[in-house]
């Protein structure tokens, strides 16, 4: 009987110690506790148990991003034409450019730092390179943007107009406003074809296709 009591006492001590030890250690790591623990490589991500940690190159809007792989702790999100390249050729070239300057094709790159480079080729293959800076803003009319380009080479001038992006296709219409040549730029409210109050029709509307 005495031996049996000793066994019960020993068992009780062991149980108490085990319970105390269990309460004293941290709770098992989970993928939703807001803490980087266990085998996680980030907060609630990475390791064998949790999903992959968000990155700025995974093609998914996750983490603190405000867009796909941009915003938050990633680089700022681009808007409009920013960071994009376009080309226009054949029937996509505005008829006005074809008739006045024999333009065959145009390649335009709008950099994220708001500089741009345009390579324009005539029908004989002679190129001309245009460079400068640009600014853009949402017009408040549909998805149309306002755009101003301040060209620095080969001559200093300013053009203004509008553009609208639909998937990989961009409609684009601008006119020179400085030095003044007597032209009036199109407006988002009046829509494409509104250069010079609409007298040019769609002859000044350029179509671009995005390229990588």
């Amino acid at each position: 009987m005495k031996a049996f009591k000793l066994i019960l006492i020993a068992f009780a001590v062991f149980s108490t110690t085990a319970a105390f030890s269990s309460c004293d250690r941290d709770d098992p790591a989970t993928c939703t506790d807001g803490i980087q623990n266990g085998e996680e490589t980030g907060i609630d991500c990475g390791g064998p148990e949790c999903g992959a940690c968000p990155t700025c190159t995974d093609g998914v809007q996750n983490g603190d991003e405000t867009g796909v792989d941009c915003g938050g702790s990633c680089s700022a999100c681009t808007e409009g034409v920013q960071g994009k390249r376009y080309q226009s050729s054949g029937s996509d070239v505005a008829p006005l450019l074809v008739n006045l300057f024999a333009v065959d094709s145009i390649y335009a790159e709008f950099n994220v730092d708001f500089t741009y480079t345009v390579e324009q080729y005539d029908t004989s293959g002679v190129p001309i390179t245009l460079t400068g800076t640009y600014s853009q803003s949402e017009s408040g009319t549909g998805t149309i943007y306002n755009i101003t380009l301040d060209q620095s080479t080969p001559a200093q001038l300013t053009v203004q107009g509008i553009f609208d992006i639909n998937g990989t296709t961009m409609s684009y219409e601008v006119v020179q406003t400085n030095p003044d040549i007597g032209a009036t730029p199109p407006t988002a409210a009046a829509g494409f074809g509104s250069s010079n109050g609409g007298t040019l029709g769609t002859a000044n509307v350029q179509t671009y296709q995005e390229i990588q």
Side-chain angles (χ1 to χ4, degrees):
M1 179 64 72
K2 184 175 181 180
F4 180 70
K5 287 181 179 180
L6 290 174
I7 291 172
L8 288 178
I9 291 172
F11 178 76
V13 170
F14 173 79
S15 298
T16 302
T17 302
F20 176 79
S21 176
S22 176
C23 292
D24 186 56
R25 68 171 184 263
D26 291 336
D27 291 333
T30 71
C31 300
T32 57
D33 58 9
I35 303 170
Q36 182 177 341
N37 47 20
E39 296 182 75
E40 296 171 353
T41 57
I43 296 176
D44 293 338
C45 66
E49 302 297 330
C50 304
C53 292
T55 72
C56 299
T57 57
D58 55 14
V60 180
Q61 183 178 342
N62 48 22
D64 63 353
E65 296 170 354
T66 57
V68 176
D69 292 338
C70 66
S73 55
C74 301
S75 59
C77 293
T78 58
E79 298 180 350
V81 293
Q82 192 181 9
K84 295 181 180 178
R85 299 173 64 234
Y86 291 93
Q87 69 88 25
S88 181
S89 59
S91 61
D92 282 347
V93 178
L96 194 65
L97 295 180
V98 174
N99 295 332
L100 292 180
F101 306 107
V103 174
D104 174 75
S105 57
I106 302 173
Y107 297 85
E109 182 169 4
F110 298 91
N111 302 310
V112 295
D113 63 356
F114 295 101
T115 61
Y116 73 87
T117 300
V118 172
E119 292 182 348
Q120 183 173 295
Y121 294 82
D122 65 18
T123 52
S124 61
V126 176
I128 181 172
T129 301
L130 317 173
T131 64
T133 61
Y134 70 95
S135 61
Q136 59 181 4
S137 62
E138 294 182 77
S139 69
T141 300
T143 55
I144 297 176
Y145 274 74
N146 298 313
I147 188 167
T148 298
L149 299 98
D150 292 305
Q151 180 180 297
S152 55
T153 59
Q156 291 189 337
L157 56 86
T158 299
V159 299
Q160 292 178 291
I162 56 177
F163 69 85
D164 191 16
I165 299 173
N166 182 11
T168 58
T169 300
M170 176 173 67
S171 298
Y172 183 89
E173 184 178 7
V174 297
V175 301
Q176 180 178 319
T177 56
N178 186 37
D180 187 2
I181 59 173
T184 56
T187 65
F192 290 92
S194 61
S195 293
N196 285 4
T199 58
L200 298 176
T202 59
N204 193 38
V205 178
Q206 184 85 9
T207 301
Y208 283 99
Q209 304 298 329
E210 186 177 358
I211 55 178
Q212 300 301 316

